Amino acid sequence: MLRALLLEFAKSTRLRRWITSNGTTRRWAQRFVPGEDLAAALQAARRSNQAGMSVSLDLLGENVLTREDAARARDAYTNALNQIAAENLDGNVSLKLTHLGLDLGDECCAEQLRVVTERATALGNFVRVDMEGSAYTDRTPANRKQARAETAAVGTVIQAFLYRSEKDIEDLLTIRCRIRLVKGAYQEPPEIAFPRKRDVDANYIKLMQLLLPSGIYHAIATHDPKMIDATTEFARQRGISKDKFEFQMLYGIRTDLQSRLVRDGYRVRVYIPFGQDWFPYFMRRLAERPANLLFFAQNLLRGR
Ligand SMILES: Cc1cc2nc3c(=O)[nH]c(=O)nc-3n(C[C@H](O)[C@H](O)[C@H](O)COP(=O)(O)OP(=O)(O)OC[C@H]3O[C@@H](n4cnc5c(N)ncnc54)[C@H](O)[C@@H]3O)c2cc1C
């Protein structure tokens, strides 16, 4: 209930205005978003690299409505790739297709994506296409398949909460696409997504077991110790070595677990979001964990 409500609030322009202009909430959001510009993201990336983790930089933004905004996002991504290379950082980028103009048409979006993936290919780097709400799930595969046909420097995301994901994985493995497996952060109806967490978790493990033996370098993105233990145990049983896949976690979440995995010899990548448009991302993080909301509300009341 609360999760659905928070995800609905994420669409409210009025709430967005209030939350993003309030000093307390802005400070609090820094727990999940290190800053509003690339410099802040690069600083966080350097810290993660020093701690033995790679990163993926995500310029926050979605559902742009003009070609100019789509082009601005494209240029920000090529700039981020250039800076990662210039500073010799261990990092790549993650982006959303609606940030590159998917709402303006497949062609517009594909044009911007091509510029970013060409830059990544030239630099020997990699672009991850995030997965958004189900309104885009049908359109994203066509884009990612086309992009994958053009370069191996692009990968995608599969959400375990969708019934269709097993079939999508089978398709994507035939084109040797690198996949990030997540549970799914959006509110979806029971016609297309498992409503119960335990079914999502069971599907996550089933999908992880399809990905790991494929011989392709995939990412297991979760903060859930049960999913992580199931992955390490499965890899151990199958003799899949620790450098054949990576764990991914979000900036500021379960940093204890991130460090433990590095200590245990696993590869860990931290997803670092940055930018001014942090409100929907922030709301999705609150929705994932109601305890965050309580903590946030207490701080707000105390004016901290
Ligand atoms: C690197 C990365 C990229 C992602 N990309 C996408 C994407 O492209 N599309 C998409 O739909 N979703 C994406 N997600 C979000 C994902 O779908 C889940 O919503 C999110 O990861 C929470 O699920 P979980 O696997 O951590 O398990 P959960 O069962 O939700 O959480 C397990 C435990 O992790 C901790 N935890 C989880 N979330 C939080 C939080 N917000 N604050 C504090 N503690 C928390 C808690 O201890 C919790 O008990 C991404 C997640 C990661 C890690």
Side-chain angles (χ1 to χ4, degrees):
M1 262 292 269
L2 188 59
R3 179 171 185 269
L5 197 66
L6 285 166
L7 291 174
E8 202 47 45
F9 282 165
K11 298 174 193 156
S12 160
T13 327
R14 202 182 290 173
L15 191 64
R16 174 193 294 247
R17 224 175 291 129
W18 182 71
I19 293 222
T20 53
S21 60
N22 180 298
T24 305
T25 49
R26 286 171 72 96
R27 265 195 311 281
W28 210 75
Q30 282 178 356
R31 182 188 159 187
F32 300 122
V33 181
E36 295 194 349
D37 57 16
L38 178 61
L42 291 170
Q43 200 179 0
R46 270 179 237 119
R47 280 198 305 269
S48 292
N49 280 183
Q50 279 157 12
M53 300 174 213
S54 57
V55 300
S56 193
L57 303 189
D58 165 43
L59 170 63
L60 293 166
E62 42 202 89
N63 297 106
V64 301
L65 297 173
T66 66
R67 287 189 76 91
E68 290 70 30
D69 283 344
R72 236 190 307 278
R74 173 202 70 201
D75 293 345
Y77 272 109
T78 52
N79 183 35
L81 285 164
N82 290 339
Q83 287 303 317
I84 288 170
E87 293 202 27
N88 206 14
L89 290 170
D90 184 357
N92 59 33
V93 296
S94 289
L95 54 79
K96 291 187 171 42
L97 292 183
T98 66
H99 201 186
L100 294 186
L102 189 58
D103 289 333
L104 300 163
D106 285 352
E107 210 31 61
C108 168
C109 176
E111 239 173 70
Q112 319 308 323
L113 181 61
R114 188 168 299 118
V115 174
V116 183
T117 55
E118 276 174 0
R119 192 72 207 128
T121 308
L123 292 167
N125 207 330
F126 180 76
V127 178
R128 178 80 60 181
V129 177
D130 286 348
M131 185 54 85
E132 303 177 62
S134 60
Y136 301 102
T137 320
D138 268 336
R139 297 175 63 196
T140 306
N143 277 282
R144 64 192 175 191
K145 268 190 172 170
Q146 187 190 328
R148 177 63 188 85
E150 290 170 14
T151 174
V154 68
T156 190
V157 176
I158 286 287
Q159 297 157 321
F161 70 179
L162 295 181
Y163 304 136
R164 59 178 288 167
S165 289
E166 184 174 350
K167 172 82 181 56
D168 281 345
I169 285 184
E170 282 163 8
D171 283 353
L172 288 162
L173 290 183
T174 63
I175 56 166
R176 298 195 63 74
C177 188
R178 284 170 58 179
I179 292 170
R180 172 202 293 152
L181 181 63
V182 301
K183 288 191 186 177
Y186 298 82
Q187 185 62 27
E188 303 294 358
E191 293 74 35
I192 62 166
F194 295 103
R196 290 186 309 185
K197 179 171 159 48
R198 67 165 176 270
D199 294 326
V200 177
D201 289 356
N203 200 40
Y204 192 98
I205 292 174
K206 182 178 178 189
L207 300 181
M208 172 276 287
Q209 294 180 347
L210 284 179
L211 294 178
L212 251 50
S214 68
I216 302 165
Y217 188 79
H218 298 298
I220 303 302
T222 180
H223 315 93
D224 187 340
K226 288 200 295 298
M227 303 300 111
I228 290 170
D229 289 349
T231 305
T232 56
E233 182 52 23
F234 180 74
R236 196 189 58 75
Q237 281 171 8
R238 292 296 189 95
I240 298 165
S241 61
K242 293 175 178 175
D243 60 347
K244 294 287 184 271
F245 63 95
E246 67 184 29
F247 287 108
Q248 294 189 354
M249 292 190 214
L250 302 177
Y251 176 85
I253 298 181
R254 293 302 313 257
T255 48
D256 56 329
L257 201 48
Q258 296 175 13
S259 306
R260 198 197 80 199
L261 285 167
V262 171
R263 274 199 306 275
D264 290 348
Y266 290 99
R267 293 184 169 194
V268 177
R269 186 178 301 273
V270 183
Y271 182 101
I272 300 181
F274 69 99
Q276 294 177 344
D277 197 6
W278 47 263
F279 174 72
Y281 179 87
F282 177 65
M283 293 302 282
R284 286 197 288 275
R285 301 297 76 86
L286 290 186
E288 275 157 10
R289 195 160 182 253
N292 283 343
L293 184 65
L294 193 69
F295 188 59
F296 169 59
Q298 281 168 347
N299 280 309
L300 199 61
L301 288 174
R302 289 189 199 124
R304 281 208 225 131

